[in-house]
Amino acid sequence: LKFAHQMDSVPSSAKASFHFRDGFSMPVVGLGVYRMKPGIETQDAVSCALECGYRMVDTAAVYNNEADVGEAVRKSQLQRNDIFITTKLWHDGFGYHGCIQACEQSLQALGTDYIDLYLIHSPQEITETWQAMIELQRRGWVRSIGVSNFSVAHLEVLARHSPQNLPVVNQIEMHPLNWRERRDVLEWCS
């Protein structure tokens, strides 16, 4: 944690945001807690990131560290609306009722009244689960809804089923080694 005190501020480019078509914005730079051990490891990492000026944290139910993210956010003394939290629905929550229950569990684990961005972690039971995501947004439990690891074929299912409520994000792994094989997804989303 020493390096947190050595940084004066986050570079201004880290404060930039992506603007979603639903009116909300997400910081460009954030901390992902994938593979962080639940407990103090996650809490310290999130605390350090928030001290350094990060304002976005990405977690998932399957990471088993949502509660630790929530604890670090509460201890930060920052206002909740100044921190953007993304979490993801895991396979055991797919389907309409499963999605509603899983979101409720994530809200409880995070200790917050709302999730900034809620993602379907992978494409299964797409249309039923997406209807629940729309309902969660309508209830105010989540601000923005999106997907993760969806191919063009999966996105087209959503576009046919619910053209007025498309995902604001398709979170995918992207780097120079897989760019060519995912080019179609990038083109479809642009």
Side-chain angles (χ1 to χ4, degrees), residues 35-71:
R35 293 193 178 178
M36 284 189 195
K37 293 178 184 167
I40 198 71
E41 180 178 319
T42 298
Q43 289 178 29
D44 283 352
V46 173
S47 294
C48 184
L50 294 173
E51 283 180 36
C52 288
Y54 284 64
R55 293 298 179 261
M56 194 268 281
V57 181
D58 182 298
T59 186
V62 72
Y63 302 169
N64 294 314
N65 57 20
E66 288 175 321
D68 302 305
V69 168
E71 183 66 20

Side-chain angles (χ1 to χ4, degrees), residues 45-175:
V46 173
S47 294
C48 184
L50 294 173
E51 283 180 36
C52 288
Y54 284 64
R55 293 298 179 261
M56 194 268 281
V57 181
D58 182 298
T59 186
V62 72
Y63 302 169
N64 294 314
N65 57 20
E66 288 175 321
D68 302 305
V69 168
E71 183 66 20
V73 167
R74 282 187 298 284
K75 286 181 177 178
S76 73
Q77 300 180 352
L78 294 167
Q79 295 296 314
R80 170 60 185 92
N81 63 351
D82 291 331
I83 302 169
F84 191 96
I85 299 174
T86 300
T87 194
K88 300 170 209 71
L89 172 72
W90 189 238
H91 302 168
D92 59 3
F94 288 158
Y96 188 88
H97 297 291
C99 179
I100 301 290
Q101 289 173 339
C103 183
E104 202 165 16
Q105 291 169 355
S106 287
L107 285 166
Q108 186 176 21
L110 289 162
T112 188
D113 294 335
Y114 67 92
I115 295 165
D116 294 285
L117 177 60
Y118 198 43
L119 304 175
I120 299 173
H121 210 143
S122 62
Q124 295 179 31
E125 298 182 50
I126 297 171
T127 56
E128 266 188 70
T129 304
W130 190 248
Q131 283 306 112
M133 297 287 279
I134 293 168
E135 174 61 18
L136 293 170
Q137 189 176 41
R138 188 194 66 73
R139 290 182 185 186
W141 294 9
V142 300
R143 290 188 170 175
S144 298
I145 54 177
V147 297
S148 181
N149 303 307
F150 273 44
S151 70
V152 170
H154 302 122
L155 294 166
E156 287 175 343
V157 167
L158 288 179
R160 284 191 304 274
H161 176 72
S162 188
Q164 70 284 5
N165 288 306
L166 294 175
V168 297
V169 167
N170 181 20
Q171 185 185 73
I172 58 173
E173 180 182 0
M174 183 58 60
H175 52 75

Side-chain angles (χ1 to χ4, degrees), residues 6-36:
Q6 295 171 351
M7 289 184 64
D8 293 318
S9 66
V10 173
S12 61
S13 62
K15 294 180 182 178
S17 295
F18 291 113
H19 301 283
F20 299 150
R21 70 177 162 280
D22 64 5
F24 293 104
S25 298
M26 177 181 79
V28 171
V29 176
L31 175 70
V33 296
Y34 176 56
R35 293 193 178 178
M36 284 189 195

